[in-house]
Amino acid sequence: MKLRCFLWLLLTSFFPGVYSGSIAQEKSNDLHTFYYSTVEFVETPLSSIKGSVPLNKEEAMKRNHYRFSYNEKHQLVSVSFFNGKTPRGPNHTASLFTLAHFMKFEYREESETISFFNTQGEPDEVLGNCSLFVYTYNDLGFRNRLYFLNKNNQRITNSWGIYEYQWEYLDDGSIIENRYDEQGNQVSIRPGFEFYRLRLYFNPSGHIALMQNIDENGNLVENSSGASQDRITTNSQGNFLEWNVLNNNNELENGNGPNVAIGKQEFNVYGYEVALEHQDEKSQVMASAYGIYMSKTKFDPFGNIQERTFYNAEGNPAKHNNAGYHKLSLTWDEQGNKRKSLRYFDVVGNPCIHATRGYHGVRYDYDDQGRISRISYLSTSDELTNRKDNGRAYSVYKYGKDDGEIQVVHFDTSNSELKQ
């Protein structure tokens, strides 16, 4: 019995296409479709994409949701993101590898592919110019390689500098992950995250639990920040509750991108992050390298971000250390599909300027087909203002009549066109 349970766990955790979802489903054209509020946290493309927080169809039709469709063999054939019946690109709920409105999975005897499509049903490119992810299987049917093809079916390097992933399954249940560039040099897990050769451990639900940066002999290697391990805690639904950065001695270490030792996150019933807190090696609240001690996030009824606020080490309202504002406020149209505005405010609620971008607000305008037509950057008095980082005051979007190709032209406050 234990062996049977172990094999089922192994299959549902790692073997692509094996279903272990909820009962919220719809059967159509030999496909079973399941609805979820969000997706499980992943750190590696080795992990299969899975839905988190199941919804029934009635509720899904009122809010942002993912649709996971499986064939009669219980193989995942597509993942798509909608607000009700309106197709959308993934929002704050996306994982590192939920990369387009529609993802199509196809299987062969020794491989599988993932292709990507936008909300108009057209082929899409992700992580740079990647049109197709190609996984190969080992003799046991598990993923052992991943490489990328462009729209011309040529192998390419993705935007993280990765030409190929390789995985090796060890007898103790751990997995070795290597990433290489086109010349065969090792590449970090992603830009700004200095872990190279990884030993991966997963919890009983198949979620990542520990990542170790190791050398060819399996010894821990501390990176430039002093970190060699990331210990990750998730709940049964794959929500990312906490991470601990550790050194070679299994001691907490301020390190990696955020340069903190501990990160803690809280989630609401839909699996959305509502609170974030950073701590040092002594579990004291500290600011991350991104300027955040603590933050709280609110959502509208559709599941769109409505407000994000920042707090100091004592939990009092405070400015974001780097950006200089306390509250980010977003508004959406009545259907919850189109962002109307974005604005920044200080601790007492007055309009303020983003410290590094140089504007207070953003206004979004759309054409009669619902496509973005103009993005304007505003001062605290709602006048056009030039961004501090790139000089733009507004951007105009033009669409080709035949092919729909998008051209974006940028202008400053004097209506002078700016170079891209």
Side-chain angles (χ1 to χ4, degrees), residues 225-333:
S225 72
S228 61
Q229 305 178 79
D230 251 15
R231 185 171 60 205
I232 295 166
T233 301
T234 61
N235 61 16
S236 62
Q237 294 184 318
N239 298 142
F240 184 17
L241 302 181
E242 183 173 335
W243 76 89
N244 300 157
V245 180
L246 307 173
N247 60 25
N248 285 0
N249 297 319
N250 295 312
E251 300 166 334
L252 288 168
E253 181 79 30
N254 292 339
N256 289 333
N259 199 32
V260 300
I262 301 170
K264 294 186 175 183
Q265 300 181 124
E266 297 178 14
F267 295 82
N268 65 14
V269 295
Y270 290 105
Y272 302 161
E273 178 202 306
V274 295
L276 168 67
E277 180 176 308
H278 295 123
Q279 298 178 359
D280 63 17
E281 301 101 323
K282 297 181 180 180
S283 299
Q284 300 299 306
V285 178
M286 67 171 291
S288 72
Y290 310 135
I292 302 171
Y293 289 92
M294 293 186 276
S295 68
K296 296 180 181 180
T297 306
K298 296 180 180 179
F299 304 88
D300 69 13
F302 300 100
N304 300 311
I305 293 178
Q306 190 172 48
E307 177 182 295
R308 178 163 288 159
T309 48
F310 298 94
Y311 302 84
N312 61 21
E314 289 72 41
N316 299 317
K319 293 181 179 180
H320 184 291
N321 270 15
N322 301 342
Y325 67 90
H326 165 62
K327 181 173 75 173
L328 164 67
S329 178
L330 301 168
T331 62
W332 303 82
D333 68 3

Side-chain angles (χ1 to χ4, degrees), residues 64-65 67 81-88 101 335 337:
N64 291 320
H65 67 276
R67 301 179 187 180
F81 187 66
F82 289 81
N83 178 30
K85 296 182 179 180
T86 302
R88 299 187 73 182
H101 156 65
Q335 292 75 38
N337 294 320

Side-chain angles (χ1 to χ4, degrees), residues 138-190:
N138 65 14
D139 292 341
L140 297 177
F142 299 125
R143 293 170 169 175
N144 66 350
R145 292 171 63 231
L146 167 63
Y147 59 88
F148 311 97
L149 301 181
N150 63 15
K151 61 184 179 182
N152 298 317
N153 287 322
Q154 299 168 325
R155 285 196 61 174
I156 60 169
T157 299
N158 72 15
S159 59
W160 294 350
I162 300 171
Y163 186 71
E164 179 171 307
Y165 287 82
Q166 294 181 7
W167 295 288
E168 177 187 356
Y169 297 78
L170 303 186
D171 292 339
D172 66 355
S174 64
I175 299 171
I176 301 298
E177 175 177 293
N178 282 297
R179 282 147 269 95
Y180 299 100
D181 63 19
E182 192 169 358
Q183 288 72 44
N185 302 309
Q186 280 198 327
V187 181
S188 68
I189 184 171
R190 52 185 177 271

Side-chain angles (χ1 to χ4, degrees), residues 81-146:
F81 187 66
F82 289 81
N83 178 30
K85 296 182 179 180
T86 302
R88 299 187 73 182
N91 61 4
H92 63 90
T93 59
S95 73
L96 288 169
F97 303 102
T98 316
L99 296 166
H101 156 65
F102 188 91
M103 300 171 61
K104 180 180 179 181
F105 299 75
E106 296 180 282
Y107 304 91
R108 297 174 179 82
E109 185 175 348
E110 297 180 350
S111 66
E112 73 174 285
T113 61
I114 306 176
S115 50
F116 306 89
F117 300 86
N118 63 22
T119 55
Q120 285 75 47
E122 302 162 337
D124 205 357
E125 295 179 331
V126 302
L127 290 182
N129 300 117
C130 301
S131 295
L132 197 71
F133 284 18
V134 181
Y135 289 92
T136 62
Y137 300 153
N138 65 14
D139 292 341
L140 297 177
F142 299 125
R143 293 170 169 175
N144 66 350
R145 292 171 63 231
L146 167 63

Side-chain angles (χ1 to χ4, degrees), residues 178-179 186 188 193-199 211-230 245-251 253 255-256:
N178 282 297
R179 282 147 269 95
Q186 280 198 327
S188 68
F193 197 153
E194 296 178 6
F195 276 14
Y196 289 84
R197 179 177 169 85
L198 292 181
R199 182 164 51 217
M211 294 195 304
Q212 296 181 321
N213 190 44
I214 61 172
D215 62 20
E216 288 294 330
N217 297 315
N219 301 309
L220 290 171
V221 177
E222 293 178 353
N223 62 19
S224 61
S225 72
S228 61
Q229 305 178 79
D230 251 15
V245 180
L246 307 173
N247 60 25
N248 285 0
N249 297 319
N250 295 312
E251 300 166 334
E253 181 79 30
N256 289 333

